[in-house]
Amino acid sequence: MTGVPASAGGTGRPAPGGKLGAAAVNQASLWNIANILTMVRLVLVPGFVMLMLQDGGYDPAWRAWAWAAFAVAMITDIFDGHLARTYNLVTDFGKIADPIADKAIMAAGLICLSALGDLPWWVTGVILFRELGITLMRFWVIRHGIIPASRGGKVKTLAQGTAVGMYVLALTGPLATLRFWVMALAVVLTVVTGLDYVRQAIVLRHRGLAAERAAAGDAAAEEARDAR
C-alpha cells in the first residue's frame, strides 16, 4: 500500500519523521521508496522460481537460497507498508499494486511446491482461487471505493508466508510436522478472510449504487426545475 495521494500531485503534507519523511513525500507518486520496494518484490518472483527449481528442485542448498529470496520479498512487504503509513505515501496505485506483488510471490511458491510434490494441489488451488477472486473483486468494485487490507487479511498473509517459507526449506522431523499445521491454519484463515472480503465488497457496491441513484435523482430534479 504505497505512494502519495493521486490528487496531491506528489506534494502531500509530510508526516512527522524528519528528512526522510519530507523527501519521500516530495517524490513523484510512482517512484517513492515504498513503491520501489513493491516493484522489487515483483522482480524477486522470477528469481525465486529459478532458485527453487535448480537441480530438479530438491537440492537443500538451492532451496535455502530460494527461501532467502522468498523471505526478502516478505520483508519488503512489511517495510513498504510501514513507510507508506509513516510518510503519507498511500495511493490507490499502491493499494492495488501491493497485494498483487504479494500474490505473485505467494503463487510462485505454492505452484513450485505443488509441482515438486511437496504440497497437495488442492491447497494451492484453494489459496490461489481465493487470492485471484479477491483481486478481481477489488477491480469490480473499484469505482465505488477501495477495499483496504483488514487485520485478518494481514494475519492470513503472515500465516501463508510462514507456511510456504517452511515448505520451501528442506525440513525434517518435528519441524516438518509443524509446517503442516501452520499451513492448515493458513488455509483456514484464507477461507474465512476471503468470505469477509466478499461481504465488504457487496456492502461497498450496494452503497455505491445507492449513491449513484441518489445523484441521478438529484440531477433529474435539478433539470426539471430548470425546465420550468
Side-chain angles (χ1 to χ4, degrees):
M1 289 174 278
T2 59
V4 295
S7 61
T11 57
R13 182 183 301 170
K19 295 181 179 180
L20 178 59
V25 171
N26 289 329
Q27 293 183 42
S29 60
L30 181 61
W31 294 109
N32 62 68
I33 183 62
N35 275 345
I36 291 173
L37 288 176
T38 297
M39 296 175 191
V40 167
R41 198 154 66 256
L42 286 169
V43 172
L44 282 171
V45 174
F48 164 78
V49 172
M50 287 189 293
L51 291 169
M52 187 71 180
L53 300 180
Q54 283 291 324
D55 289 342
Y58 297 105
D59 185 282
W62 285 112
R63 293 282 284 257
W65 283 109
W67 176 86
F70 185 84
V72 169
M74 294 294 99
I75 291 171
T76 59
D77 180 39
I78 297 173
F79 277 107
D80 67 17
H82 173 74
L83 290 170
R85 291 186 298 271
T86 302
Y87 301 117
N88 192 27
L89 303 177
V90 179
T91 63
D92 287 347
F93 167 80
K95 290 180 181 179
I96 296 299
D98 184 68
I100 288 176
D102 296 340
K103 290 169 178 55
I105 188 66
M106 192 63 64
L110 290 166
I111 292 173
C112 285
L113 289 170
S114 291
L116 293 171
D118 293 339
L119 190 67
W121 275 106
W122 72 264
V123 173
T124 294
V126 167
I127 295 177
L128 293 187
F129 177 80
R130 184 271 194 199
E131 302 300 342
L132 178 60
I134 296 302
T135 299
L136 294 176
M137 191 173 61
R138 286 177 185 272
F139 284 107
W140 178 53
V141 301
I142 195 171
R143 71 188 182 96
H144 303 298
I146 298 292
I147 303 176
S150 66
R151 185 180 300 274
K154 294 175 182 178
V155 174
K156 177 270 304 178
T157 300
L158 176 62
Q160 286 183 355
T162 302
V164 171
M166 293 179 74
Y167 270 88
V168 168
L169 289 171
L171 300 178
T172 59
L175 288 177
T177 302
L178 177 61
R179 70 182 181 183
F180 169 84
W181 292 108
V182 175
M183 181 60 76
L185 174 63
V187 171
V188 171
L189 291 173
T190 295
V191 174
V192 171
T193 57
L195 293 175
D196 182 59
Y197 276 123
V198 171
R199 179 192 61 80
Q200 292 186 58
I202 293 173
V203 171
L204 182 61
R205 185 169 187 273
H206 284 173
R207 288 177 179 173
L209 292 175
E212 289 176 359
R213 286 193 293 267
D218 292 343
E222 184 67 25
E223 291 179 1
R225 285 195 295 269
D226 293 342
R228 293 176 184 175

